[in-house]
Amino acid sequence: MSKLEQVLDLEPPYDLKFKGPFTEVVTTNLKLKNPSDRKVCFKVKTTAPRRYCVRPNSGMIESGATVTVSVMLQPFEYDPNEKSKHKFMVQTIFAPSTATDMDAVWKDAKPDDLMDSKLRCVFELPSENDQMNDVDATKAAPVLNSKADGTSAPRPSSASVDDSEMKKLMAECKRLQYDVGKLSDENRQLKDEGLRMRKSHRSDDMVTGSGAMMSKQHSSSSLPSLMVVIAAIFIGFFLGKFVL
């Protein structure tokens, strides 16, 4: 029995091209379109699973729908003299109309029901013309932006960021100035309170000091009067003796 022909339309159909440099992740998209009137389950397999990351690597495609698969090549040291032997295979199978568990569909699948397509990986380095075009495009971009229509170039996004940061700094300065003024008022109030307390203590000391002085003056003034009385008694006593 002949093998079933692939039901999905693949784009690209034969080669997955990865354009360097390969010092960082390089991503290539693979589109899977289901032109049939049935659901189709798919799996994407590779001969070098450690070198690639595939999202999604399996799934189900509704009738007439298209799924984009991202194939991400991990960074590696590229050797132009070494030919790539990496390959991918897209394996598919018709899913029952009531199918919900893809694992069960693949588990119950018969070899004759499977369809597959193979793709090879092609590594390419950017040509000198591409690099020159990129440089020319970057140089021409400011001229087109500033002189093509006689208008000034748009402000970069960093300028708006700087403006927003400046506004935040101004608001923060105003808040700090308000806090400093508030602290100054509180410090002034504390100073006034301290002066009032010191004045009250001084007045209390003056009152107690004047009371002590008055008591001393009273005692000192009462002492001579007492001596006068005693002296008058003695004088009267002696005078009485002489008269008698």
Side-chain angles (χ1 to χ4, degrees), residues 128-225:
E128 294 183 359
N129 292 333
D130 293 338
Q131 294 178 355
M132 292 297 296
N133 291 335
D134 293 339
V135 172
D136 293 340
T138 55
K139 290 182 178 179
V143 177
L144 292 174
N145 289 334
S146 59
K147 297 182 179 180
D149 54 358
T151 59
S152 60
R155 294 180 64 187
S157 58
S158 60
S160 60
V161 174
D162 293 340
D163 292 341
S164 61
E165 292 294 333
M166 183 62 68
K167 290 179 180 179
K168 290 181 180 179
L169 289 174
M170 293 295 292
E172 185 68 17
C173 289
K174 290 182 179 179
R175 187 182 66 80
L176 290 175
Q177 289 177 356
Y178 173 77
D179 292 340
V180 170
K182 190 175 180 181
L183 290 173
S184 299
D185 294 338
E186 292 179 356
N187 190 20
R188 192 179 300 109
Q189 292 177 2
L190 290 174
K191 286 184 178 179
D192 294 341
E193 186 67 24
L195 288 173
R196 285 196 297 269
M197 292 180 67
R198 285 196 293 270
K199 288 181 180 179
S200 62
H201 284 304
R202 287 178 182 176
S203 61
D204 292 341
D205 293 339
M206 291 177 65
V207 171
T208 54
S210 60
M213 290 177 64
M214 290 178 64
S215 62
K216 288 180 181 179
Q217 291 177 357
H218 179 71
S219 60
S220 61
S221 61
S222 60
L223 184 58
S225 60

Side-chain angles (χ1 to χ4, degrees), residues 1-5 91-94 108-116:
M1 185 174 180
S2 61
K3 194 171 185 179
L4 293 177
E5 186 179 356
Q91 196 172 50
T92 57
I93 187 174
F94 284 110
D108 298 337
K110 298 177 181 179
D112 295 337
D113 297 334
L114 298 177
M115 300 166 280
D116 59 63

